[in-house]
Amino acid sequence: MAIETLELMIETVLVKKYKESLEQKEQLQKTDSSDMEPVMTETERPKVKNKEQEESQPEPKQPEMTRMASKYPKFYKIYNELEQQNNAIYKKEKQRSAKKKELSEIKGWFKGRKKKELKEEINDLTSQIRNMKDYLPKIVQKVGYRNVQEFLKDFKTAKSEYSQYQKAIAQWEQETGKEPEPQPHGVRAKLAANRKKIEQEQKNTQRIRSQSKDRGGR
């Protein structure tokens, strides 16, 4: 009986300890779950820009002007000359129309001299108009075009590309705060720019070498 009583006491103590252990474990789990912060995925994390990263980003490159865009200022002068010539032709045609109308309104045999004068003026205006129209292709031939239609086609393209370049360069200036550097166009201009760049690099190299020698001498 003493042994049984002892075993019962031991079993009671063990059961009590086991229950206390379970209660402590449940309490720890509740505490851990309440203290745990929600885990955010990579996509849910806010993107914080680092100031050093922003400073290390490369500066935007200056927009380059296309070949057609570079021709626009020159094309614009030719286009204005065409417009002036067309306006002059229009005025002559208007004068001729007025003379023709005046001639059609003259009645009677005694107006023969006036009719003759008007016909001569009309013929003279017609000759002037023809010569002025023949001069139009010669205006665009100055820049290597055979006719006005070919020139106007390229003029439209050059105008569009020049406008796009102006918008791009304005945005670049706003982003960088710098003045755009002139861009050479044409073979001679590019060769001259490259030669100038090489000469400048050579001068910089010579200056660095000279400074190094001076420091070594000291």
Side-chain angles (χ1 to χ4, degrees):
M1 288 179 64
I3 294 173
E4 289 179 358
T5 302
L6 182 60
E7 289 178 351
L8 180 60
M9 290 176 64
I10 293 172
E11 185 177 355
T12 303
V13 172
L14 290 175
V15 170
K16 186 178 180 181
K17 290 289 185 183
Y18 178 72
K19 288 182 179 181
E20 289 177 356
S21 177
L22 287 176
E23 290 176 357
Q24 290 177 358
K25 188 175 182 181
E26 290 176 358
Q27 187 66 28
L28 287 172
Q29 288 178 350
K30 289 180 180 179
T31 304
D32 292 341
S33 61
S34 62
D35 294 339
M36 186 179 296
E37 294 181 358
V39 179
M40 299 176 66
T41 61
E42 191 67 26
T43 56
E44 293 173 344
R45 291 177 183 172
K47 295 181 179 179
V48 181
K49 289 186 177 180
N50 193 341
K51 187 176 181 181
E52 294 180 356
Q53 291 178 350
E54 290 181 353
E55 293 177 353
S56 63
Q57 290 180 354
E59 187 178 273
K61 186 179 179 182
Q62 177 179 334
E64 294 184 0
M65 185 183 294
T66 62
R67 184 178 63 87
M68 290 300 294
S70 67
K71 292 183 177 182
Y72 176 71
K74 186 176 182 179
F75 281 1
Y76 184 72
K77 293 180 181 179
I78 299 297
Y79 179 79
N80 276 343
E81 189 174 351
L82 287 173
E83 286 291 292
Q84 292 174 5
Q85 186 72 357
N86 281 322
N87 289 335
I89 292 172
Y90 173 75
K91 290 180 180 179
K92 291 291 183 181
E93 288 178 339
K94 196 173 181 180
Q95 292 175 11
R96 185 176 62 177
S97 297
K99 296 293 181 182
K100 286 183 176 180
K101 183 180 180 182
E102 185 180 353
L103 179 61
S104 66
E105 292 174 351
I106 294 177
K107 307 295 182 183
W109 292 98
F110 60 93
K111 297 287 186 177
R113 184 176 178 181
K114 183 64 176 177
K115 287 182 178 179
K116 184 180 179 181
E117 290 177 355
L118 286 172
K119 287 180 179 179
E120 289 177 353
E121 290 178 5
I122 291 170
N123 291 335
D124 184 49
L125 287 170
T126 300
S127 177
Q128 291 181 34
I129 292 169
R130 183 174 58 251
N131 292 335
M132 293 171 74
K133 287 183 176 180
D134 290 341
Y135 181 71
L136 287 172
K138 295 180 181 179
I139 295 176
V140 299
Q141 286 171 3
K142 298 176 183 179
V143 286
Y145 288 88
R146 293 179 298 177
N147 53 61
V148 177
Q149 287 75 18
E150 288 183 359
F151 168 78
L152 290 177
K153 182 180 178 181
D154 280 0
F155 172 76
K156 184 178 179 181
T157 301
K159 183 179 180 180
S160 176
E161 293 185 8
Y162 185 79
S163 177
Q164 293 175 5
Y165 168 75
Q166 289 296 322
K167 292 179 181 178
I169 204 71
Q171 183 177 357
W172 179 83
E173 287 179 352
Q174 186 177 5
E175 291 176 354
T176 62
K178 293 183 176 181
E179 291 290 332
E181 296 181 1
Q183 298 179 357
H185 291 278
V187 177
R188 292 182 179 179
K190 288 181 179 180
L191 288 174
N194 289 334
R195 183 166 56 250
K196 187 176 180 180
K197 184 178 180 181
I198 292 171
E199 290 174 354
Q200 186 63 38
E201 289 177 352
Q202 289 176 347
K203 289 180 181 179
N204 293 337
T205 303
Q206 290 175 358
R207 185 173 64 254
I208 292 171
R209 288 177 179 175
S210 177
Q211 292 174 354
S212 299
K213 289 180 179 179
D214 292 341
R215 289 171 187 160
R218 293 175 188 172

